[in-house]
């Protein structure tokens, strides 16, 4: 019986590649196209979406048919409509996986799911980055060496404002001396989140074999275990017969249509 393909949507704000010559030289068609071409595999069905499309390319239909969403944003976080952020968040609660890349740590959707500011230290100086695998037994790190290097990357440094329940998989050391928790997972509702630091727009990081292996592993890890509406809060019918109450009471709960 053929294996069901994983439906992947790669979302990119697609601003730098149109406005910055250095980014355009590295990713002439955009990072989303470079990733889609490099990640192409028999078991993946990949589509792309960008900020400039109607509803940012993330209609309800697209999200309902997405198992894993990749997100890259940087210069236009504030241009992402709040209603789209809410739509994405609810799909994660329902089981859709999400992979936030590089500067997406300051995106609206990452901050919603992470629950903190996402702030960190940074420096753009084309530094050597050495990534250490913290948990070699995790599905996302399988097949990777103990550590690997990127010759040029933007520096991110601690402290990194992330949720207390984050499970760290990668730790980075930078040429300038800083360290950073560069890859971690979270569970939000039924959905899984993986944040991965590398991917500055003017460096060819998304062509690197190890980086692509991490992202590919993460797609397979983040695919839904279950995908269904998150539990409704109002349950009017009890499982057992309730006893007669001697007191009187008034129902004061607020019931929204979505809870019914």
């Amino acid at each position: 019986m053929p294996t069901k393909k994983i439906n992947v949507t790669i979302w990119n704000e697609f601003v730098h590649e149109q406005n910055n010559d250095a980014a355009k030289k590295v990713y002439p068609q955009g990072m989303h196209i470079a990733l889609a071409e490099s990640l192409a595999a028999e078991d993946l069905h990949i589509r792309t979406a960008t900020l400039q499309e109607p509803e940012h390319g993330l209609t309800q239909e697209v999200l309902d048919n997405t198992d894993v969403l990749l997100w890259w944003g940087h210069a236009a976080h504030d241009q992402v409509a709040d209603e789209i952020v809410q739509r994405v968040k609810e799909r994660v609660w329902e089981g859709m996986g999400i992979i936030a890349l590089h500067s997406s740590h300051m995106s609206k959707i990452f901050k919603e799911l992470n629950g903190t500011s996402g702030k960190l230290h940074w420096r753009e100086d084309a530094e050597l980055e050495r990534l250490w695998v913290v948990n070699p037994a995790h599905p996302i790190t399988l097949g990777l060496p103990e550590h690997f290097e990127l010759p040029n990357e933007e520096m991110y440094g601690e402290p990194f404002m992330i949720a207390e329940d984050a499970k760290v998989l990668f730790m980075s050391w930078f040429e300038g001396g800083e360290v950073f928790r560069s890859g971690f997972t979270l569970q939000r509702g039924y959905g899984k989140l993986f944040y991965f630091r590398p991917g500055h727009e003017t460096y060819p990081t998304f062509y690197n074999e190890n980086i692509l292996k991490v992202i590919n592993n993460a797609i397979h890890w983040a695919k839904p275990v279950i995908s269904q509406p998150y539990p409704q809060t109002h349950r009017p019918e009890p499982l057992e017969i309730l006893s007669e109450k001697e007191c009187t009471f008034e129902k004061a709960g607020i019931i929204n249509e979505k809870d019914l």
Side-chain angles (χ1 to χ4, degrees):
M1 188 174 179
T3 304
K4 181 181 180 295
K5 290 191 175 187
I6 303 171
N7 293 314
V8 179
T9 300
I10 301 175
W11 190 89
N12 175 26
E13 68 178 26
F14 194 34
V15 171
H16 291 295
E17 303 95 311
Q18 298 185 77
N19 301 332
N20 181 293
D21 288 340
K24 189 183 301 183
K25 183 177 180 181
V26 179
Y27 301 107
Q29 298 181 76
M31 283 178 277
H32 53 300
I33 299 300
L35 280 168
E37 291 178 349
S38 295
L39 292 168
E42 289 276 329
D43 61 344
L44 302 181
H45 177 266
I46 300 176
R47 75 171 86 201
T48 63
T50 63
L51 176 72
Q52 297 80 14
E53 297 173 44
E55 300 183 61
H56 310 323
L58 299 175
T59 64
Q60 190 65 60
E61 181 181 2
V62 167
L63 289 174
D64 285 346
N65 289 283
T66 296
D67 296 315
V68 181
L69 175 66
L70 275 64
W71 190 284
W72 195 103
H74 181 209
H77 296 318
D78 62 335
Q79 295 179 37
V80 178
D82 291 342
E83 64 186 89
I84 304 301
V85 175
Q86 182 67 22
R87 187 183 294 168
V88 172
K89 181 173 70 172
E90 290 183 3
R91 275 292 294 130
V92 173
W93 288 349
E94 293 172 354
M96 182 183 75
I98 185 167
I99 300 171
L101 298 169
H102 191 58
S103 43
S104 296
H105 68 91
M106 289 299 289
S107 65
K108 291 180 180 180
I109 185 58
F110 179 83
K111 289 193 286 186
E112 282 279 340
L113 294 169
N114 178 45
T116 75
S117 69
K119 289 189 174 182
L120 46 79
H121 289 156
W122 65 276
R123 178 175 60 246
E124 191 176 341
D125 237 346
E127 296 180 43
L128 171 71
E129 177 181 5
R130 182 176 297 133
L131 290 100
W132 288 90
V133 174
V134 175
N135 182 359
H138 195 278
I140 292 177
T141 63
L142 291 182
L144 293 169
E146 184 177 59
H147 63 80
F148 59 93
E149 295 181 352
L150 299 171
N152 303 114
E153 254 297 347
E154 180 180 16
M155 185 283 292
Y156 280 10
E158 295 289 340
F160 184 18
M161 300 296 106
I162 58 175
E164 287 292 326
D165 58 324
K167 294 179 171 59
V168 178
L169 302 182
F170 295 94
M171 181 71 74
S172 286
W173 169 89
F174 290 88
E175 187 178 353
E178 288 86 356
V179 295
F180 188 74
R181 290 168 290 172
S182 51
F184 66 85
T185 66
L186 292 169
Q187 180 84 29
R188 291 296 179 259
Y190 294 143
K192 300 174 185 176
L193 179 151
F194 175 56
Y195 171 77
F196 194 42
R197 194 219 68 82
H200 186 67
E201 65 272 7
T202 60
Y203 306 129
T205 300
F206 290 136
Y207 299 113
N208 179 279
E209 181 180 348
N210 286 316
I211 297 299
L212 292 170
K213 178 176 280 293
V214 171
I215 296 173
N216 182 271
N217 284 351
I219 289 170
H220 288 80
W221 168 82
K223 69 181 180 181
V225 176
I226 60 172
S227 186
Q228 63 186 41
Y230 205 56
Q232 296 171 340
T233 58
H234 185 229
R235 178 170 287 177
E237 299 300 327
L239 297 177
E240 307 290 345
I241 298 173
L242 301 180
S243 62
E244 291 290 334
K245 303 298 185 291
E246 295 181 1
C247 61
T248 59
F249 63 94
E250 295 292 333
K251 294 183 179 181
I254 299 172
I255 301 176
N256 297 314
E257 276 191 31
K258 289 178 69 176
D259 292 331
L260 299 175

